[in-house]
């Protein structure tokens, strides 16, 4: 074997060893998963809507790695622990001593369980707090029917510990099962097998056979109905929303097939979805077997289904291959954003995909001035970072996708597509780090095609600020034609009535509104509203951008904006809208009055984000 090859192998081996070491250092978890790992979780819980709590026990099956270890450390936040038991070799359960560490505002409390031997199973009896960070408990008045309450979870990034004592790190994967008791007339669903014929007699029972990280633990309880979309897909929603949801999501089965054609078989058996109440704080959450969705994606014309493509794409990037800690978040979201565009292209054509990509890249470039350069890297070099927000959460999506697209454009799809599928196949049901991806990239692409990207340029993408100058920008001919119209309209050379807006699809309106934000005056915004009824748009992406431009231009949209802020709790929309209102002295008091009424309708995560804007 040539010496050059031998050295290369040694370097790869050393990098792999470093990657393995870094996999045992999640600064956001107390768990010592280098000593013991959870292999299975069983939850036996009862939902108490009166007290807004879940109570019961969690049973963890353990794999002990360090034979000398005699302490199990779990992550908790606001859990009221009543007792802990360990299973003896004879199968009987006996009490175990435990202690809770001092509270850390970000990480909660470590639960330290002392054991005289290394038990196979441990049970923790507990009750959640009404203020559990992951759970939103809604009154009947906050639901569509107004008859029964509703509850749902959002565990990402480190909030699973607020409703279950777990090793709350993406570095640890486990299977799980559950039995959940809920009030009569309500259905329980989880990120697991959901039996459509179940009645809940004796409790709602679930099983997740594929190992998942804790942030993908999910539960929802409410007055839910279900509609099948295809042989392996269905949607759950409140009764008044179920038909519109089923219509909007009709292309789901086609999306699954398109993704499989690119990246291999769908390995989670079913792809079901639940459309949650409007207070759900994000667009979608890729909980395996049951994606959680915002109702703001229901536009009535299937124009926002790229959100479904994104959450489905997570079935490969994120759920199948998971970032080992939140420091490597781009491995989940950057990859998924890239895969989303490929699915959109396969289903709706190159023209739509190119427009989608251009809007995505332009919004990324526009966000850079508001993000400190030190936080613009895909991954930080600092091993001591103790916050999941080490970088701007939004930038890693388009920047990570841009890196992968750059590799694809230079290597060609014949080379890149098998490379990316190989990453998913070879790391399936594993947690990975950026170092591990770099090792894989060099071995499986760059060693054979060094011209695709130099080590210096790769370093710039991963660790440098902004978007590298070498990045190729998407350029849609349709958006270029729109740009010419927009420019003439802003200058007053083209009347509003002569804009081609009646023929624009949602992506074109989003691009147009992004580019007039802060430039158009109140008269122009009023004319747009009168011509195209943008203030009453059923497409929330369009309505949001129109409201934002209107606030900055001084065009009065308080009536529709008030209804929007009272009914929509998606952070992507409400945080920038309140921020813009607070910057305008004439809108500040009005914003305070709206938030005083709307706050109780928002998820705790959204409340925290908006509260910060008001404190500023």
């Amino acid at each position: 074997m040539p010496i050059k090859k031998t050295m290369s192998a040694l370097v790869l081996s050393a990098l792999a060893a470093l990657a393995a070491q870094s996999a045992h250092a999640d600064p956001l978890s107390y768990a010592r998963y280098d000593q013991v790992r959870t292999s299975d979780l069983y939850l036996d819980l009862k939902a108490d809507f009166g007290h807004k709590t879940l109570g019961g026990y969690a049973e963890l099956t353990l794999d002990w790695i360090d034979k000398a270890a005699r302490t199990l450390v779990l992550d908790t936040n606001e859990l009221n622990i009543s007792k802990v038991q360990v299973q003896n070799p004879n199968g009987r359960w006996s009490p175990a001593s435990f202690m809770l560490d001092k509270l850390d505002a970000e990480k909660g409390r470590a639960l330290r369980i002392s054991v005289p031997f290394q038990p196979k199973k441990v049970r923790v009896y507990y009750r959640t707090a009404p203020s559990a960070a992951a759970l939103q408990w809604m009154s009947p008045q906050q639901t569509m029917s107004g008859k029964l309450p509703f509850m749902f979870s959002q565990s990402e990034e480190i909030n699973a510990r607020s409703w279950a004592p777990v090793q709350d790190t993406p570095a640890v994967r486990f299977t799980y099962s559950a039995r959940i008791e809920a009030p009569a007339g309500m259905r329980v669903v989880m990120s697991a097998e959901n039996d459509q014929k179940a009645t809940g007699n004796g409790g709602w029972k679930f099983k997740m056979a594929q190992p998942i990280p804790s942030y993908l633990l999910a539960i929802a309880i409410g007055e839910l109905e279900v509609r099948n979309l295809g042989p392996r897909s269905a949607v759950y929603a409140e009764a008044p929303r179920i038909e519109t949801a089923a219509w909007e999501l009709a292309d789901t089965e086609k999306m699954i097939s398109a993704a499989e054609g690119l990246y291999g078989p769908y390995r989670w058996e079913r792809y079901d979805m639940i459309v949650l109440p409007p207070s759900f704080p994000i667009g979608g959450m890729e909980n395996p077997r049951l994606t959680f969705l915002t109702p703001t994606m229901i536009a009535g014309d299937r124009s926002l289904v790229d959100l479904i493509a994104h959450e489905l794409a997570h079935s490969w990037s994120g759920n199948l291959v998971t970032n080992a800690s939140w420091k490597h978040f781009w491995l989940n979201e950057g990859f998924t954003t890239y895969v989303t565009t490929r699915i959109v292209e396969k289903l709706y054509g190159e023209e739509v995909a190119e427009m989608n990509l251009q809007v995505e890249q332009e919004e990324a470039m526009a966000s850079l001035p508001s993000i400190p350069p030190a936080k613009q890297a895909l991954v930080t070099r600092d091993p001591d970072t103790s916050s999941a927000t080490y970088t701007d959460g939004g930038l890693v999506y388009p920047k990570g996708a841009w890196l992968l697209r750059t590799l694809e454009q230079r290597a060609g799809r014949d080379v890149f597509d098998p490379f990316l599928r190989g990453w998913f196949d070879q790391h399936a049901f594993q947690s990975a780090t950026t170092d591990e991806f770099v090792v894989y990239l060099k071995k499986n692409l760059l060693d054979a095609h060094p011209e695709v990207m130099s080590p210096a340029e790769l370093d710039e993408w991963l660790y440098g600020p902004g978007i590298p100058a070498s990045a190729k920008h998407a350029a849609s001919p349709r958006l270029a034609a729109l740009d010419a119209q927009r420019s003439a309209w802003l200058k007053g050379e083209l009347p509003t009535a002569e804009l081609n807006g009646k023929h624009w699809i949602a992506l074109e309106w989003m691009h147009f509104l992004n580019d007039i934000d802060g430039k158009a005056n109140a008269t122009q915004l009023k004319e747009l509203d009168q011509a195209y009824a943008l203030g009453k748009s059923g497409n929330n992406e369009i309505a949001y951008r129109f409201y934002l431009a209107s606030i900055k231009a001084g065009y009065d949209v308080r009536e529709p904006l008030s209804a929007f802020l009272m009914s929509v709790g998606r952070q992507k929309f409400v945080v920038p809208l309140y921020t813009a209102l607070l910057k305008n002295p004439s809108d500040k008091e009005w914003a305070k009055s709206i938030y005083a009424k709307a706050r109780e309708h928002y998820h705790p995560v959204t409340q925290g984000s908006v509260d910060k804007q008001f404190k500023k």
Side-chain angles (χ1 to χ4, degrees):
M1 182 182 287
I3 292 175
K4 187 177 178 182
K5 288 278 186 183
T6 307
M7 288 302 294
S8 176
L10 287 170
V11 169
L12 288 174
S13 176
L15 281 169
L18 282 170
Q21 285 174 19
S22 65
H24 297 299
D26 183 346
L28 292 175
S29 173
Y30 292 110
R32 292 299 307 273
Y33 48 93
D34 56 334
Q35 296 180 352
V36 56
R37 284 180 175 243
T38 307
S39 61
D40 184 70
L41 172 70
Y42 172 69
L43 295 172
D44 196 298
L45 301 171
K46 182 176 182 178
D48 182 341
F49 278 83
H51 293 94
K52 299 183 178 179
T53 59
L54 292 172
Y57 70 88
E59 181 179 298
L60 296 88
T61 302
L62 306 169
D63 287 335
W64 292 88
I65 299 162
D66 181 349
K67 300 307 175 188
R70 290 295 181 271
T71 304
L72 170 64
V73 185
L74 300 176
D75 294 301
T76 76
N77 197 1
E78 289 195 292
L79 297 185
N80 183 353
I81 314 290
S82 58
K83 65 178 177 179
V84 176
Q85 296 179 330
V86 296
Q87 188 179 48
N88 296 298
N90 62 9
R92 292 180 181 172
W93 294 88
S94 60
S97 60
F98 67 91
M99 64 171 286
L100 283 164
D101 282 5
K102 187 178 165 185
L103 177 68
D104 177 273
E106 184 178 31
K107 297 195 290 184
R109 297 176 189 266
L111 169 61
R112 300 184 187 276
I113 302 168
S114 299
V115 293
F117 58 97
Q118 295 189 329
K120 185 69 177 170
K121 294 187 178 185
V122 167
R123 279 184 182 172
V124 180
Y125 290 78
Y126 69 97
R127 183 173 296 280
T128 63
S131 55
L135 307 179
Q136 183 172 13
W137 300 85
M138 305 175 69
S139 67
Q141 293 75 27
Q142 291 172 296
T143 65
M144 291 190 80
S145 72
K147 296 175 186 174
L148 293 171
F150 201 105
M151 185 273 277
F152 64 86
S153 67
Q154 172 55 24
S155 296
E156 192 183 33
E157 295 146 326
I158 59 169
N159 287 333
R161 66 191 69 181
S162 73
W163 68 283
V166 289
Q167 292 180 305
D168 197 9
T169 168
V172 175
R173 304 178 71 106
F174 51 84
T175 55
Y176 85 89
S177 54
R179 189 188 75 89
I180 311 292
E181 290 183 40
M186 304 179 79
R187 176 185 283 274
V188 183
V189 290
M190 294 189 78
S191 53
E193 290 180 22
N194 287 282
D195 181 2
Q196 293 183 11
K197 296 176 182 176
T199 62
N201 288 337
W204 297 84
K205 297 180 178 68
F206 303 93
K207 185 175 178 59
M208 169 53 92
Q210 293 88 358
I212 63 163
S214 56
Y215 76 89
L216 295 177
L217 273 175
I219 186 171
I221 306 174
E223 195 178 2
L224 294 166
E225 291 196 12
V226 60
R227 293 286 184 277
N228 282 305
L229 303 170
R232 54 182 168 169
S233 58
V235 60
Y236 294 83
E238 294 175 89
R241 185 173 272 128
I242 191 69
E243 298 303 339
T244 54
W247 185 88
E248 201 83 13
L249 302 171
D251 285 343
T252 299
E253 203 70 39
K254 292 180 190 173
M255 286 188 179
I256 301 171
S257 297
E260 286 185 314
L262 290 165
Y263 304 115
Y266 178 76
R267 306 187 201 209
W268 304 89
E269 297 168 60
R270 286 191 63 83
Y271 185 75
D272 294 338
M273 295 161 284
I274 177 172
V275 179
L276 292 165
S279 60
F280 186 53
I282 55 177
M285 182 61 211
E286 62 273 14
N287 302 310
R289 299 183 68 113
L290 189 68
T291 282
F292 281 27
L293 292 172
T294 171
T296 63
M297 54 72 57
I298 298 177
D301 58 5
R302 297 179 183 149
S303 60
L304 300 179
V305 291
D306 62 317
L307 177 65
I308 311 304
H310 181 92
E311 303 311 331
L312 171 65
H314 270 301
S315 302
W316 285 265
S317 48
N319 296 5
L320 190 65
V321 186
T322 306
N323 49 221
S325 77
W326 298 109
K327 174 179 175 176
H328 307 285
F329 188 48
W330 82 279
L331 292 176
N332 279 22
E333 295 298 352
F335 276 58
T336 294
T337 304
Y338 169 82
V339 170
T340 300
T341 303
R342 296 294 304 276
I343 295 173
V344 168
E345 180 186 317
K346 202 161 184 180
L347 280 184
Y348 306 114
E350 285 184 31
E351 188 177 56
V352 171
E354 191 74 7
M355 282 194 286
N356 197 65
L357 199 59
Q358 184 175 331
V359 170
E360 176 187 297
Q361 291 179 354
E362 286 175 346
E363 290 182 351
M365 297 301 291
S367 74
L368 292 177
S370 64
I371 307 169
K375 292 189 175 183
Q376 293 177 9
L378 279 179
V379 58
T380 174
R381 290 184 188 275
D382 181 5
D384 298 320
T385 299
S386 62
S387 171
T389 55
Y390 70 92
T391 184
D392 181 84
L395 184 62
V396 298
Y397 291 65
K399 186 175 179 179
W402 214 331
L403 165 58
L404 296 182
R405 185 169 176 83
T406 301
L407 293 169
E408 173 227 302
Q409 288 172 325
R410 295 177 187 176
R413 287 185 176 178
D414 288 348
V415 171
F416 187 76
D417 285 358
F419 160 83
L420 190 55
R421 176 169 175 175
W423 169 252
F424 297 139
D425 287 343
Q426 291 179 38
H427 298 81
F429 300 108
Q430 296 175 37
S431 300
T433 64
T434 301
D435 288 342
E436 286 173 297
F437 174 70
V438 170
V439 169
Y440 176 85
L441 173 65
K442 289 177 178 176
K443 181 180 178 183
N444 295 281
L445 181 62
L446 298 182
D447 281 355
H449 305 278
E451 74 285 355
V452 167
M453 187 169 286
S454 68
E457 187 186 357
L458 178 61
D459 214 50
E460 186 183 1
W461 275 103
L462 295 174
Y463 304 110
I467 304 297
S470 57
K472 184 178 178 183
H473 292 244
S476 157
R478 270 176 66 170
L479 293 187
L482 186 151
D483 287 342
Q485 283 204 8
R486 184 203 71 249
S487 179
W489 177 78
L490 281 172
K491 293 173 185 172
E493 297 168 1
L494 182 71
T496 302
E498 292 182 26
L499 284 171
N500 202 29
K502 289 203 174 0
H503 302 288
W504 291 343
I505 65 171
L507 276 168
E508 289 169 295
W509 269 113
M510 287 157 65
H511 176 72
F512 178 86
L513 292 168
N514 281 344
D515 287 343
I516 67 166
D517 186 6
K519 300 174 185 173
N521 59 42
T523 302
Q524 289 172 312
L525 267 299
K526 182 178 180 180
E527 288 178 1
L528 273 183
D529 199 12
Q530 290 174 337
Y532 302 106
L534 297 181
K536 297 176 182 174
S537 174
N539 185 307
N540 286 280
E541 293 279 359
I542 292 173
Y544 155 69
R545 287 168 172 80
F546 176 70
Y547 296 145
L548 202 57
S550 297
I551 293 167
K552 294 176 185 178
Y555 171 55
D556 184 4
V557 286
R558 286 187 178 184
E559 186 180 343
L561 178 56
S562 172
F564 186 88
L565 291 171
M566 288 295 294
S567 63
V568 172
R570 188 175 173 187
Q571 288 196 96
K572 171 186 173 182
F573 298 152
V574 301
V575 176
L577 287 170
Y578 280 115
T579 304
L581 287 167
L582 290 171
K583 285 180 180 175
N584 190 340
S586 62
D587 288 323
K588 197 170 183 179
E589 290 306 313
W590 182 79
K592 285 181 181 177
S593 68
I594 292 296
Y595 187 50
K597 292 181 284 186
R599 191 180 187 277
E600 67 173 350
H601 297 279
Y602 297 156
H603 187 276
V605 170
T606 308
Q607 290 175 351
S609 298
V610 181
D611 287 350
K612 283 181 185 174
Q613 298 306 314
F614 276 90
K615 282 174 185 171
K616 286 181 183 177

